[in-house]
Amino acid sequence: MAERKSWDSAYKYLFSSRQVFHQFLTRFVEEDFVQGISVDDVELVDKSFVSDELLDRESDIIYKVNLPENEVYIYVLLEFQSTPDKTIPVRMLLYILQLYDQLFRSSTSGLLPAVFPVLLYNGSRPWTVPFNLNELVAPRIPAKYIPSFEYYPIIERDIPPEKLERIKGLVAAIMYLEQQEDDAALKSTIDKAIAMIAEEQPEQLRQFSHWINRMFRGSLENNDIDKVHQLTEVKTMLAEVVDKIEQRGEQRGEQRGEQRGMQKKTFEYARKMLDRGFSIADIADITDLSEQEIRELAE
């Protein structure tokens, strides 16, 4: 899909809202401990607690969840490269160990809190990386000495569109749009995406609009987005962004057509010069074609 900006920064912005993160956690993580968690129970970890090194990476999000008897940290790694990275289990474990190091320094007594690792991947290629680190280690020693670390995978391409429509909500709508492979498909699914956020509050509607504008390099004014209160306004803005994407695509197509036309004329000019006995070196100097291209043309 055309004109997308950095996925990491767009999601980092989106998940800075604890309401959005709560929706992501409770609707996409199928584990018992997340059931019953309220928005008030989740808290974005800030720089007063965790080192700048952990928080400055655009691909990392850390939340603290206050459960009835203890607290749990949710660590989300955003992996939006087109090709799966086989080092992910090692990287995630390394980041969590750095987090534990920070927790150790600030802890006075008792056990360390649990850290729940989540991978969010939206690439188009299948996720082929093992879910447990021990599958990447050669079993040449007793298994008890090989680290066993497993992360929770959320692979967007593997979530059926029907399930996203059933889950509903802002995060599901965004994943639904991301699954569209081209701009034409994106435009045809606007109505379904809008229906999925029909129950969202005005604040979430504005967050959705801001995300769309960031994600697709829209030229919408943030002041206009901040005035959004109704679903119809979001639909209008989304349609406007898609139209501008299509216009830029058409402009790029016209530019490529013009470039191909100019290139064709250059080759025709070079062919005439060959017919008139010009040397390959002189033709290359005049047309800016390489000597290899001219030799191939002569053959």
Side-chain angles (χ1 to χ4, degrees), residues 47-66:
K47 291 187 177 182
S48 65
F49 182 74
V50 179
S51 69
D52 291 350
E53 180 185 1
L54 275 174
L55 285 175
D56 283 345
R57 287 194 296 264
E58 285 192 337
S59 59
D60 297 344
I61 298 167
I62 304 175
Y63 264 83
K64 182 172 70 172
V65 177
N66 297 307

Side-chain angles (χ1 to χ4, degrees), residues 157-174:
R157 71 182 303 277
D158 294 340
I159 304 176
E162 299 78 13
K163 182 176 181 179
L164 292 175
E165 292 181 44
R166 186 172 65 254
I167 291 175
K168 298 183 180 180
L170 186 149
V171 179
I174 285 174

Side-chain angles (χ1 to χ4, degrees), residues 2 9 15 20 24 26 28 32 40 42-43 69 90 113 118 174 179 182 184 189 195 208 210 252 264 278 295:
S9 62
F15 285 159
V20 175
F24 168 75
T26 55
F28 289 90
D32 291 341
D40 293 334
V42 299
E43 175 187 349
E69 297 181 358
V90 176
V118 180
I174 285 174
Q179 288 183 349
D182 53 43
T189 55
F208 180 80
H210 276 295
R252 285 195 302 272
K264 182 178 179 180
F278 281 76
R295 290 193 188 92

Side-chain angles (χ1 to χ4, degrees), residues 209-210 213 218-228 237 240 244:
S209 301
H210 276 295
N213 203 32
S219 57
L220 304 176
E221 296 293 335
N222 287 335
N223 290 337
D224 292 336
I225 296 177
D226 290 337
K227 298 176 184 177
V228 168
M237 286 189 170
E240 183 179 343
K244 290 180 178 179

Side-chain angles (χ1 to χ4, degrees), residues 33 37 41-43 45 49 63-74 99-100 103 106-107 109 111-116:
F33 81 93
I37 293 176
D41 293 329
V42 299
E43 175 187 349
V45 175
F49 182 74
Y63 264 83
K64 182 172 70 172
V65 177
N66 297 307
L67 299 178
E69 297 181 358
N70 51 33
E71 59 187 26
V72 172
Y73 285 85
I74 311 295
L99 175 59
Y100 273 137
L103 293 171
S106 61
S107 176
S109 61
L111 296 175
L112 286 169
V115 178
F116 182 67

Side-chain angles (χ1 to χ4, degrees), residues 1-2 4 177 179-189:
M1 199 180 296
R4 292 190 178 185
L177 291 175
Q179 288 183 349
Q180 311 312 312
E181 296 181 353
D182 53 43
D183 298 337
L186 174 65
K187 189 171 185 177
S188 67
T189 55

